[in-house]
Amino acid sequence: MLRSTGDRVVIVGGGIAGALLAKTLQNHADVVLIDPKEYFEIPWANLRAKVDPAAVERTVIPHADYLTHAKVVTAFAVGIDDSVVLTSIGRAVAYDFLVIATGRTCNRPQKQSDRLEMFQRDKERIDAAESVLVVGGGPIGVELAAEIVMKSPEKRVTIVHGGPRLLKVMGARASAKALEWLRSKHVTVLLDQTVDLAGATPETRVFTTSAGETVEADCHFVCTGRPVASGWLRDSFLRDHLDEEGHVRVDDHLRVGGLKNVFAVGDITDVPEAKQGHLAQRQAMVVSRNLRLLVKGACREEKLHRYKPCPRASITVTLGRRDALAELPFMTLIGHIPGAVKPRDLFITRTRRMMGLKSKPYGTMPRVM
């Protein structure tokens, strides 16, 4: 058992929020990061990484490169009580403060090298294909289709989306602009239709939609939404603090159920705002400040920082290297102008700097428990 030290902060989940929180706290507390992967990746850049090899290694970053004073437990969290997290490798990790940052379910390999190989295989599939099927018309599906057609306009790309319009997280005007832009690039968009992929394999070439339409594609990518990764909490003492969709209910300080020492950040929370990476980072920084105060042991309730949700936060969907769709509080724009506002490297450089990585990272391995 990894025993607590009095200032032990255990962070479960090494995504964009958990990784930033661990990095900012490692010099202020005894930090343990529990994550089934040996790395974190910049989520809003991984679609570019499927078509641009230059982006790949800069977006998949070993925890070792930025956690120089923290411990890493490479495992899933499988259980929890009011003082200990149980892991899939049989280790119990005691905590004084706990942060839940497990986000959404995903299937990622443990090692960075295997993840890089996945990107390379996806790139090879796209390069070899004359036609591509994208299942799902949310931001991920739209951005992937745009990346493909902007890099290889000769490819036939089809989006099949189960809803009446693309980009449900944005307004109707943004959806219409995205549809018009995609069709101008000769992308076929099928709305209000689904595809049964239960028996599909990488070799499948013919797909039938729920409306009976046939789509021929040399490869396909599933870009539909993923459920919240809170199943491991359903039989725990936190089960009463989950909503119907599995989100963790938090207060203004991002504490769970009013508990003094348990927090949650990122997509797993019920904070009423879009689930975007930059907002998850904002949440992480609020919890980081609060934990630094609490670890000192002299913090009154009124001194804790509050998180102010951004229900009308601006949303930008990247459309290849040059274009973008931006929904602002006062207008919706598409084309080169919003594309120029969002850096061509998709904030990869800025994110790496936030993690203390100014160039291609080299570092020593933190203690892996």
Side-chain angles (χ1 to χ4, degrees), residues 70-358:
K71 305 178 186 73
V72 176
V73 176
T74 305
F76 288 94
V78 296
I80 187 177
D81 63 22
D82 59 2
S83 62
V84 171
V85 178
L86 304 176
T87 71
S88 58
I89 59 174
R91 295 288 181 88
V93 182
Y95 65 85
D96 298 298
F97 301 94
L98 175 68
V99 183
I100 301 166
T102 43
R104 297 185 180 274
T105 58
C106 63
N107 183 20
R108 297 284 187 265
Q110 176 179 317
K111 295 185 177 298
Q112 181 202 29
S113 58
D114 293 335
R115 182 60 173 145
L116 296 179
E117 287 182 10
M118 286 182 65
F119 280 118
Q120 181 61 31
R121 288 195 298 270
D122 286 344
K123 180 183 183 302
E124 291 171 355
R125 291 170 62 203
I126 294 170
D127 287 348
E130 295 182 0
S131 54
V132 181
L133 168 63
V134 177
V135 181
I140 295 175
V142 169
E143 289 192 350
L144 177 58
E147 289 285 352
I148 294 171
V149 297
M150 292 302 283
K151 182 176 185 291
S152 304
E154 76 283 359
K155 295 188 186 296
R156 301 190 308 276
V157 178
T158 300
I159 296 177
V160 177
H161 182 57
R165 63 182 180 89
L166 300 170
L167 301 172
K168 184 178 69 173
V169 298
M170 305 176 80
R173 180 175 297 181
S175 297
K177 286 181 178 292
L179 180 61
E180 180 183 7
W181 186 94
L182 288 165
R183 287 178 171 167
S184 75
K185 307 302 180 186
H186 309 293
V187 176
T188 300
V189 180
L190 304 179
L191 298 174
D192 279 324
Q193 299 184 48
T194 59
V195 178
D196 184 2
L197 298 173
T201 69
E203 287 70 41
T204 302
R205 297 291 181 267
V206 180
F207 305 84
T208 303
T209 75
S210 56
E213 294 198 47
T214 298
V215 178
E216 296 184 1
D218 296 325
C219 65
H220 70 280
F221 294 91
V222 179
C223 301
T224 53
R226 294 175 282 113
V228 176
S230 59
W232 64 287
L233 298 172
R234 292 197 178 277
D235 293 326
S236 76
F237 77 110
L238 298 178
R239 60 184 175 275
D240 293 335
H241 303 303
L242 302 179
D243 68 14
E244 297 76 12
E245 296 180 349
H247 293 101
V248 178
R249 297 189 182 96
V250 293
D251 63 15
D252 292 345
H253 306 298
L254 299 177
R255 293 182 301 191
V256 178
L259 298 170
K260 302 297 184 183
N261 66 330
V262 181
F263 295 78
V265 292
D267 282 10
I268 200 167
T269 70
D270 71 338
V271 175
E273 62 185 9
K275 303 306 181 184
Q276 295 183 279
H278 72 97
L279 297 177
Q281 289 176 319
R282 286 185 64 239
Q283 293 179 25
M285 294 308 299
V286 169
V287 172
S288 178
R289 289 193 290 269
N290 283 337
L291 284 171
R292 275 181 264 179
L293 290 172
L294 290 169
V295 165
K296 292 178 181 178
C299 177
R300 299 193 303 274
E301 182 79 11
E302 61 270 20
K303 294 293 184 179
L304 291 178
H305 298 272
R306 296 179 181 274
Y307 182 77
K308 184 177 180 180
C310 298
R312 293 183 56 81
S314 299
I315 300 177
T316 301
V317 173
T318 301
L319 302 172
R321 284 187 171 275
R322 298 180 61 84
D323 289 0
L325 169 66
E327 184 177 65
L328 309 173
F330 49 88
M331 69 173 65
T332 300
L333 299 172
I334 193 168
H336 291 348
I337 293 177
V341 173
K342 192 168 186 176
R344 292 189 180 181
D345 79 339
L346 303 177
F347 297 110
I348 294 173
T349 299
R350 188 183 77 172
T351 304
R352 289 177 60 85
R353 285 175 179 164
M354 289 178 69
M355 305 302 292
L357 304 169
K358 296 184 179 180

